[in-house]
Amino acid sequence: MDFKQINAFVNVVKYKSFSRAADAAFLTQPTISAHVISLEKELGVILLNRNRGEAVLTEDGKKLYSYAVELMNIRDEALREVKKDVREDIAGVLSMQVSSVIGESWLPKHLLEFREENPFVRFFIDQSDSDIVENNLLAGQGDIGFLGKKPNAALGSEKVLTDPLVLICPKNEKYMAMYKKDKTISIKEILGENFIWREEGSATRRQFEKEVEKLGYSSYQWGMSALLTHIESIKKCVEYGLGISVISKISAYENYEARNYLIFKIKELNMSRDFYMVWNKNTVLSLPAQAFKKYIHDKVESK
């Protein structure tokens, strides 16, 4: 057995897919398959059942998997110990799980700055909502994550950003008249309006519903015109007048001069979201992940 075989096997199990494992390792799918097949031949057992594109552990695979993960962790820990006093270029793939807002509006500039200092690091980024980010990290998918809610206690975490939530509305006659008078809006003025939301795993949506309930309102007092999975799609739909939405301020003001929507603060609500960098406490971070974690920590501390 060699580490290439073991790493390929572990990644296929993590991502439940040969193609996803290949993407995460910046390798081709045939290469990942070849590593796993050679490992199976060497051991004389089938480790994974290939069912309709999904890779599922066999009983023999289950026996090997925990040892394989431990081997990879020991390898990474040994490398970290040996190289801690050696200055050399950091290289490899940094796999991340990120929620939509921070992934689209905050993270890209930090990726650029980090890569300017570490040109041999490549990024594999899986974007979803905060709940999926959390679950994927707990399942061992990805080195580091960024999400917009208080993390599970099983994850290590550090707060990296606090950002207000704002209401965005189309630039129609009704909202233009309100905006000229005041850039704030009351809940009563938007009762019955159709909202455009992200899926139920969205921390933004969950927080808005929780806050209005504290004031005696129900989420049923608003309609829903669309349920979308991407922030950019929500902003476009608001621009075209499909409805209104509550989103993070950092996202709302991104390229705002070119946008065709208005940004309001809701008078009765003082909403903000905390965003966290998270990692699995039970996993030894790769060298690129350790370096990026320190980079983000130093950036947050310097503010």
Side-chain angles (χ1 to χ4, degrees):
M1 285 189 295
D2 62 40
F3 281 119
K4 288 182 180 178
Q5 295 171 321
I6 296 169
N7 193 45
F9 169 63
V10 169
N11 276 336
V12 172
V13 176
K14 283 181 179 179
Y15 293 99
K16 300 180 182 178
S17 161
F18 281 84
S19 60
R20 293 272 293 158
D23 289 341
F26 279 72
L27 296 171
T28 64
Q29 184 174 333
T31 300
I32 292 291
S33 296
H35 287 325
V36 174
I37 290 170
S38 66
L39 180 60
E40 290 177 322
K41 286 181 178 178
E42 187 175 333
L43 296 174
V45 297
I46 299 299
L47 299 171
L48 294 161
N49 286 322
R50 287 77 163 170
N51 298 326
R52 297 179 181 177
E54 184 176 0
V56 180
L57 282 169
T58 63
E59 288 304 313
D60 288 318
K62 290 175 183 177
K63 293 175 186 176
L64 178 64
Y65 182 65
S66 60
Y67 291 107
V69 171
E70 188 174 353
L71 281 170
M72 296 306 299
N73 285 343
I74 291 171
R75 183 201 66 169
D76 290 341
E77 194 169 352
L79 286 173
R80 179 174 64 182
E81 184 64 25
V82 168
K83 294 184 176 184
K84 68 180 181 181
D85 297 321
V86 179
R87 175 61 183 140
E88 64 176 43
D89 290 325
I90 295 169
V93 178
L94 174 52
S95 177
M96 285 188 275
Q97 298 282 330
V98 303
S99 63
S100 297
V101 172
I102 201 164
E104 293 178 7
S105 303
W106 182 86
L107 188 60
K109 67 176 181 180
H110 294 296
L111 297 179
L112 175 61
E113 290 176 6
F114 179 78
R115 199 165 191 274
E116 286 174 346
E117 298 175 8
N118 302 276
F120 300 107
V121 172
R122 293 171 292 176
F123 305 105
F124 175 76
I125 298 173
D126 195 0
Q127 185 172 304
S128 53
D129 66 47
S130 292
D131 285 347
I132 294 174
V133 167
E134 188 173 72
N135 291 335
N136 285 348
L137 279 174
L138 290 170
Q141 295 183 30
D143 299 307
I144 286 176
F146 291 90
L147 47 75
K149 68 172 190 175
K150 191 171 182 179
N152 187 299
L155 296 174
S157 65
E158 179 176 354
K159 187 164 72 173
V160 297
L161 175 69
T162 297
D163 192 51
L165 297 178
V166 295
L167 181 76
I168 59 172
C169 305
K171 280 187 178 178
N172 58 27
E173 185 177 343
K174 172 184 174 180
Y175 287 112
M176 283 294 292
M178 292 181 182
Y179 193 78
K180 288 176 182 177
K181 292 179 182 177
D182 192 357
K183 293 181 177 61
T184 62
I185 197 167
S186 71
I187 291 179
K188 290 181 179 179
E189 290 175 298
I190 57 172
L191 277 176
E193 291 285 353
N194 285 318
F195 266 78
I196 303 167
W197 284 122
R198 289 187 58 225
E199 65 280 6
E200 288 188 11
S202 164
T204 301
R205 176 182 174 183
R206 207 160 40 217
Q207 185 174 353
F208 174 78
E209 291 174 346
K210 182 179 177 181
E211 293 298 326
V212 296
E213 284 174 6
K214 288 179 183 177
L215 296 172
Y217 296 95
S218 165
S219 58
Y220 295 109
Q221 291 178 265
W222 289 272
M224 185 191 301
S225 58
L227 193 63
L228 303 172
T229 56
H230 294 289
I231 296 293
E232 187 59 35
S233 299
I234 290 174
K235 292 192 281 190
K236 282 288 185 184
C237 286
V238 171
E239 286 182 316
Y240 282 106
L242 187 61
I244 62 178
S245 190
V246 170
I247 65 173
S248 189
K249 183 178 179 180
I250 191 174
S251 179
Y253 277 100
E254 187 177 22
N255 199 26
Y256 183 48
E257 63 280 357
R259 294 293 184 180
N260 196 34
Y261 57 68
L262 302 168
I263 299 174
F264 290 92
K265 181 185 182 304
I266 301 177
K267 292 176 183 177
E268 298 91 337
L269 303 179
N270 187 23
M271 300 182 297
S272 64
R273 284 181 66 187
D274 291 331
F275 292 89
Y276 297 85
M277 174 173 64
V278 293
W279 57 92
N280 192 323
K281 292 179 181 178
N282 298 318
T283 301
V284 177
L285 293 178
S286 65
L287 292 176
Q290 292 171 38
F292 191 71
K293 179 171 171 278
K294 182 180 184 305
Y295 163 81
I296 294 296
H297 171 78
D298 291 345
K299 285 288 182 182
V300 172
E301 285 287 299
S302 66
K303 287 185 178 179

